[in-house]
Amino acid sequence: MTPRRRRAGGGRRAQRNEAARLTDQLLDAGFNKKQVGEILGRNPSLVSQFFTKNKGASLVPALRAAVQAVQAGVRDAESLQAIAAGHIQPRLAKSGAMARVRGRGGIRAEKTVTEDGRRVKRWTSSMARAGRQHIASGASRLRPVVEEAAANGGKIAFTVRARKGSFKHDSGRLADSPGVRRNVVQRRDGTEERAYANNVGGPGSGMEGFDAVEFKAMVDAAGGDVAAAVQTWLVDNNRIEPGTVIVGLEIRAWTARED
Protein backbone atom coordinates (compact mmCIF):
# COMPACT_ATOMS: atom_id res chain seq x y z
CA MET A 1 0.00 0.00 0.00
CA THR A 2 1.67 3.26 -1.12
CA PRO A 3 1.63 6.13 1.40
CA ARG A 4 -0.27 9.14 0.08
CA ARG A 5 1.50 12.29 -1.04
CA ARG A 6 1.15 15.23 1.31
CA ARG A 7 -0.88 18.06 -0.10
CA ALA A 8 -0.22 21.76 0.19
CA GLY A 9 -1.90 23.48 3.09
CA GLY A 10 -0.90 20.83 5.61
CA GLY A 11 -0.64 23.50 8.29
CA ARG A 12 -4.41 23.32 8.67
CA ARG A 13 -3.98 20.00 10.47
CA ALA A 14 -3.36 21.85 13.72
CA GLN A 15 -6.94 23.11 13.55
CA ARG A 16 -8.47 19.69 13.05
CA ASN A 17 -10.13 17.68 15.79
CA GLU A 18 -8.56 14.55 17.23
CA ALA A 19 -10.60 12.19 15.03
CA ALA A 20 -9.39 13.97 11.88
CA ARG A 21 -5.77 14.04 13.06
CA LEU A 22 -5.80 10.31 13.81
CA THR A 23 -7.51 9.59 10.49
CA ASP A 24 -4.78 11.61 8.78
CA GLN A 25 -2.21 9.24 10.26
CA LEU A 26 -4.06 6.27 8.76
CA LEU A 27 -4.32 8.04 5.40
CA ASP A 28 -0.59 8.79 5.48
CA ALA A 29 0.01 5.10 6.18
CA GLY A 30 -1.68 4.23 2.88
CA PHE A 31 -5.30 3.60 3.85
CA ASN A 32 -8.17 5.50 2.23
CA LYS A 33 -11.32 6.91 3.81
CA LYS A 34 -13.40 3.94 2.73
CA GLN A 35 -10.98 1.58 4.47
CA VAL A 36 -10.95 3.74 7.59
CA GLY A 37 -14.75 3.58 7.61
CA GLU A 38 -14.61 -0.22 7.32
CA ILE A 39 -12.15 -0.42 10.23
CA LEU A 40 -14.56 1.64 12.35
CA GLY A 41 -17.69 -0.13 11.08
CA ARG A 42 -19.03 3.20 9.80
CA ASN A 43 -19.94 4.73 6.44
CA PRO A 44 -16.98 6.46 4.74
CA SER A 45 -19.08 9.62 4.44
CA LEU A 46 -18.86 9.92 8.23
CA VAL A 47 -15.07 9.77 8.00
CA SER A 48 -15.17 12.74 5.63
CA GLN A 49 -17.23 14.61 8.22
CA PHE A 50 -14.34 14.31 10.70
CA PHE A 51 -12.70 16.95 8.51
CA THR A 52 -15.69 18.98 7.30
CA LYS A 53 -18.07 18.95 10.28
CA ASN A 54 -15.81 18.28 13.26
CA LYS A 55 -17.46 14.91 13.96
CA GLY A 56 -15.98 11.67 15.29
CA ALA A 57 -15.29 12.44 18.96
CA SER A 58 -16.85 9.14 20.11
CA LEU A 59 -14.61 7.21 17.72
CA VAL A 60 -11.31 8.69 18.90
CA PRO A 61 -10.42 5.71 21.18
CA ALA A 62 -11.01 3.29 18.29
CA LEU A 63 -9.00 5.43 15.88
CA ARG A 64 -6.15 5.74 18.37
CA ALA A 65 -6.09 1.95 18.86
CA ALA A 66 -6.06 1.42 15.08
CA VAL A 67 -3.22 3.91 14.59
CA GLN A 68 -1.16 2.23 17.32
CA ALA A 69 -1.78 -1.17 15.72
CA VAL A 70 -0.69 0.11 12.29
CA GLN A 71 2.44 1.62 13.82
CA ALA A 72 3.15 -1.79 15.34
CA GLY A 73 2.95 -3.38 11.89
CA VAL A 74 -0.68 -4.58 11.68
CA ARG A 75 -2.07 -4.11 8.17
CA ASP A 76 -4.81 -6.75 7.91
CA ALA A 77 -8.23 -5.06 7.68
CA GLU A 78 -10.07 -7.68 9.75
CA SER A 79 -7.46 -7.48 12.52
CA LEU A 80 -7.78 -3.69 12.61
CA GLN A 81 -11.58 -3.98 12.68
CA ALA A 82 -11.39 -6.32 15.67
CA ILE A 83 -8.98 -3.98 17.47
CA ALA A 84 -11.13 -0.91 16.81
CA ALA A 85 -14.37 -2.69 17.77
CA GLY A 86 -13.14 -3.12 21.34
CA HIS A 87 -12.98 0.66 21.71
CA ILE A 88 -16.31 1.63 20.14
CA GLN A 89 -19.13 2.40 22.55
CA PRO A 90 -22.73 1.59 21.51
CA ARG A 91 -24.78 4.54 20.36
CA LEU A 92 -27.31 5.87 22.83
CA ALA A 93 -30.77 7.30 22.23
CA LYS A 94 -31.87 10.58 23.84
CA SER A 95 -33.41 8.56 26.66
CA GLY A 96 -30.00 7.10 27.46
CA ALA A 97 -30.97 3.62 26.26
CA MET A 98 -28.93 1.84 23.62
CA ALA A 99 -29.93 3.09 20.18
CA ARG A 100 -31.33 0.60 17.69
CA VAL A 101 -28.86 0.56 14.83
CA ARG A 102 -28.16 -1.88 12.05
CA GLY A 103 -24.92 -3.71 12.62
CA ARG A 104 -22.61 -4.06 9.62
CA GLY A 105 -22.61 -7.83 10.10
CA GLY A 106 -26.32 -8.42 9.73
CA ILE A 107 -29.68 -7.16 8.50
CA ARG A 108 -33.18 -8.29 9.42
CA ALA A 109 -36.48 -7.31 7.78
CA GLU A 110 -40.11 -7.88 8.72
CA LYS A 111 -43.55 -6.73 7.68
CA THR A 112 -46.70 -5.92 9.65
CA VAL A 113 -49.68 -8.17 8.95
CA THR A 114 -53.10 -8.71 10.48
CA GLU A 115 -53.67 -11.99 12.30
CA ASP A 116 -56.89 -12.68 14.26
CA GLY A 117 -57.69 -8.99 14.18
CA ARG A 118 -54.29 -8.00 15.59
CA ARG A 119 -51.44 -6.30 13.79
CA VAL A 120 -48.26 -8.31 14.28
CA LYS A 121 -44.79 -8.27 12.76
CA ARG A 122 -43.76 -11.20 10.62
CA TRP A 123 -40.21 -12.05 9.51
CA THR A 124 -39.50 -11.65 5.81
CA SER A 125 -35.73 -11.83 5.37
CA SER A 126 -32.36 -11.83 7.12
CA MET A 127 -28.72 -11.55 6.15
CA ALA A 128 -25.45 -11.92 8.04
CA ARG A 129 -21.84 -12.09 6.99
CA ALA A 130 -18.64 -13.28 8.61
CA GLY A 131 -14.96 -12.76 7.85
CA ARG A 132 -11.96 -14.99 8.40
CA GLN A 133 -11.62 -14.45 12.16
CA HIS A 134 -15.32 -14.85 12.90
CA ILE A 135 -15.47 -18.00 10.76
CA ALA A 136 -12.53 -19.47 12.67
CA SER A 137 -14.46 -19.03 15.92
CA GLY A 138 -17.63 -20.70 14.61
CA ALA A 139 -19.40 -17.81 12.81
CA SER A 140 -22.04 -17.55 15.54
CA ARG A 141 -23.85 -14.58 13.96
CA LEU A 142 -24.79 -16.69 10.95
CA ARG A 143 -26.71 -19.38 12.83
CA PRO A 144 -29.72 -17.20 13.88
CA VAL A 145 -30.37 -16.42 10.21
CA VAL A 146 -30.57 -20.13 9.43
CA GLU A 147 -32.74 -20.90 12.44
CA GLU A 148 -35.19 -18.07 11.73
CA ALA A 149 -35.52 -19.09 8.10
CA ALA A 150 -36.17 -22.72 9.08
CA ALA A 151 -38.80 -21.68 11.63
CA ASN A 152 -40.62 -19.68 8.96
CA GLY A 153 -40.32 -22.14 6.08
CA GLY A 154 -37.91 -19.87 4.24
CA LYS A 155 -35.19 -20.22 1.65
CA ILE A 156 -31.43 -19.72 1.98
CA ALA A 157 -28.64 -18.70 -0.37
CA PHE A 158 -25.01 -18.01 0.42
CA THR A 159 -21.92 -16.35 -1.00
CA VAL A 160 -18.57 -17.89 -0.17
CA ARG A 161 -15.12 -16.36 -0.54
CA ALA A 162 -12.03 -18.54 -0.90
CA ARG A 163 -8.73 -18.77 -2.77
CA LYS A 164 -9.42 -18.60 -6.50
CA GLY A 165 -7.54 -21.80 -7.29
CA SER A 166 -9.57 -23.78 -4.76
CA PHE A 167 -12.74 -23.80 -6.88
CA LYS A 168 -13.06 -26.85 -9.13
CA HIS A 169 -15.15 -25.20 -11.85
CA ASP A 170 -14.36 -22.20 -14.01
CA SER A 171 -16.25 -19.12 -12.90
CA GLY A 172 -19.69 -18.76 -14.45
CA ARG A 173 -20.24 -22.40 -15.39
CA LEU A 174 -23.81 -23.63 -14.91
CA ALA A 175 -22.40 -26.65 -13.06
CA ASP A 176 -21.21 -24.30 -10.32
CA SER A 177 -22.20 -20.69 -9.63
CA PRO A 178 -23.72 -19.45 -12.89
CA GLY A 179 -23.19 -15.99 -14.31
CA VAL A 180 -19.65 -14.59 -14.43
CA ARG A 181 -20.76 -11.01 -13.90
CA ARG A 182 -23.77 -11.79 -11.75
CA ASN A 183 -22.60 -14.28 -9.16
CA VAL A 184 -18.79 -14.31 -9.25
CA VAL A 185 -16.57 -11.56 -7.86
CA GLN A 186 -12.79 -11.85 -8.24
CA ARG A 187 -10.60 -10.06 -5.72
CA ARG A 188 -7.13 -8.59 -6.17
CA ASP A 189 -5.82 -10.62 -3.23
CA GLY A 190 -6.25 -13.87 -5.17
CA THR A 191 -9.59 -14.84 -3.62
CA GLU A 192 -12.94 -15.11 -5.35
CA GLU A 193 -16.56 -14.84 -4.25
CA ARG A 194 -19.19 -17.19 -5.62
CA ALA A 195 -22.93 -17.17 -4.92
CA TYR A 196 -25.00 -20.34 -4.60
CA ALA A 197 -28.80 -20.73 -4.81
CA ASN A 198 -29.04 -17.05 -5.63
CA ASN A 199 -31.67 -17.17 -8.38
CA VAL A 200 -32.36 -13.65 -9.61
CA GLY A 201 -34.48 -14.68 -12.59
CA GLY A 202 -33.68 -15.37 -16.21
CA PRO A 203 -31.66 -18.10 -17.93
CA GLY A 204 -28.70 -19.49 -16.01
CA SER A 205 -29.79 -18.13 -12.67
CA GLY A 206 -29.55 -21.49 -10.94
CA MET A 207 -31.69 -22.78 -8.12
CA GLU A 208 -33.90 -20.49 -6.09
CA GLY A 209 -32.68 -21.04 -2.57
CA PHE A 210 -31.98 -24.05 -0.40
CA ASP A 211 -34.86 -25.28 1.74
CA ALA A 212 -34.11 -23.69 5.13
CA VAL A 213 -35.21 -26.74 7.15
CA GLU A 214 -32.82 -28.97 5.19
CA PHE A 215 -30.08 -26.35 5.43
CA LYS A 216 -30.54 -26.15 9.21
CA ALA A 217 -30.25 -29.94 9.46
CA MET A 218 -26.95 -29.67 7.61
CA VAL A 219 -25.77 -26.99 10.08
CA ASP A 220 -26.91 -29.09 13.06
CA ALA A 221 -24.92 -32.02 11.70
CA ALA A 222 -21.85 -29.74 11.71
CA GLY A 223 -22.34 -28.96 15.40
CA GLY A 224 -23.99 -25.61 14.69
CA ASP A 225 -21.02 -24.27 12.69
CA VAL A 226 -22.54 -22.70 9.57
CA ALA A 227 -19.19 -22.20 7.85
CA ALA A 228 -18.24 -25.84 8.42
CA ALA A 229 -21.60 -26.95 7.01
CA VAL A 230 -21.13 -24.80 3.90
CA GLN A 231 -17.60 -26.11 3.44
CA THR A 232 -18.88 -29.69 3.67
CA TRP A 233 -21.58 -28.97 1.07
CA LEU A 234 -19.05 -27.41 -1.29
CA VAL A 235 -16.70 -30.39 -0.99
CA ASP A 236 -19.45 -33.02 -1.23
CA ASN A 237 -20.89 -31.32 -4.33
CA ASN A 238 -17.51 -31.05 -6.04
CA ARG A 239 -17.32 -27.25 -5.83
CA ILE A 240 -14.02 -26.78 -3.96
CA GLU A 241 -10.94 -28.77 -3.05
CA PRO A 242 -11.04 -30.55 0.35
CA GLY A 243 -9.34 -28.51 3.06
CA THR A 244 -10.07 -25.19 1.38
CA VAL A 245 -10.11 -22.32 3.88
CA ILE A 246 -13.21 -20.12 3.63
CA VAL A 247 -12.23 -16.51 4.29
CA GLY A 248 -15.64 -14.91 3.86
CA LEU A 249 -19.23 -16.10 4.07
CA GLU A 250 -22.58 -14.36 3.69
CA ILE A 251 -25.89 -16.11 4.44
CA ARG A 252 -29.13 -14.69 3.01
CA ALA A 253 -32.59 -15.95 3.93
CA TRP A 254 -36.06 -14.92 2.79
CA THR A 255 -39.68 -15.95 2.92
CA ALA A 256 -40.48 -18.73 0.49
CA ARG A 257 -42.65 -17.60 -2.39
CA GLU A 258 -46.27 -18.72 -2.06
CA ASP A 259 -47.58 -20.32 -5.26
Side-chain angles (χ1 to χ4, degrees), residues 67-76 80:
V67 168
Q68 292 172 348
V70 170
Q71 291 172 343
V74 179
R75 306 291 299 184
D76 178 69
L80 292 172

Side-chain angles (χ1 to χ4, degrees), residues 152-206:
N152 289 275
K155 295 284 188 178
I156 288 177
F158 63 83
T159 296
V160 64
R161 181 178 173 189
R163 186 173 56 83
K164 185 177 179 180
S166 299
F167 292 97
K168 288 193 171 185
H169 298 277
D170 293 335
S171 60
R173 286 189 58 184
L174 293 180
D176 184 50
S177 177
V180 176
R181 294 180 179 83
R182 182 170 54 245
N183 288 336
V184 176
V185 178
Q186 297 179 347
R187 301 276 186 164
R188 281 186 283 182
D189 63 358
T191 62
E192 186 171 279
E193 290 183 1
R194 297 198 183 189
Y196 296 91
N198 193 44
N199 188 326
V200 293
S205 293

Side-chain angles (χ1 to χ4, degrees), residues 42-187:
R42 297 291 188 270
N43 191 293
S45 65
L46 175 61
V47 177
S48 295
Q49 292 177 37
F50 296 170
F51 300 88
T52 61
K53 297 186 179 180
N54 206 36
K55 292 189 176 183
S58 65
L59 296 170
V60 165
L63 283 164
R64 186 176 293 117
V67 168
Q68 292 172 348
V70 170
Q71 291 172 343
V74 179
R75 306 291 299 184
D76 178 69
E78 291 186 2
S79 297
L80 292 172
Q81 289 168 8
I83 291 169
H87 298 271
I88 296 177
Q89 298 297 320
R91 298 170 183 169
L92 301 179
K94 291 182 179 179
S95 63
M98 187 180 298
R100 297 179 62 185
V101 297
R102 189 185 81 185
R104 67 186 304 272
I107 300 172
R108 184 181 187 279
E110 56 188 16
K111 64 180 179 180
T112 301
V113 298
T114 301
E115 292 182 353
D116 299 326
R118 296 180 298 110
R119 292 177 65 80
V120 297
K121 291 183 178 180
R122 179 185 295 173
W123 173 84
T124 58
S125 64
S126 298
M127 182 278 287
R129 63 175 64 95
R132 186 194 301 265
Q133 289 184 328
H134 195 59
I135 288 172
S137 63
S140 58
R141 73 163 64 101
L142 302 179
R143 185 173 173 82
V145 175
V146 176
E147 292 178 337
E148 196 162 36
N152 289 275
K155 295 284 188 178
I156 288 177
F158 63 83
T159 296
V160 64
R161 181 178 173 189
R163 186 173 56 83
K164 185 177 179 180
S166 299
F167 292 97
K168 288 193 171 185
H169 298 277
D170 293 335
S171 60
R173 286 189 58 184
L174 293 180
D176 184 50
S177 177
V180 176
R181 294 180 179 83
R182 182 170 54 245
N183 288 336
V184 176
V185 178
Q186 297 179 347
R187 301 276 186 164

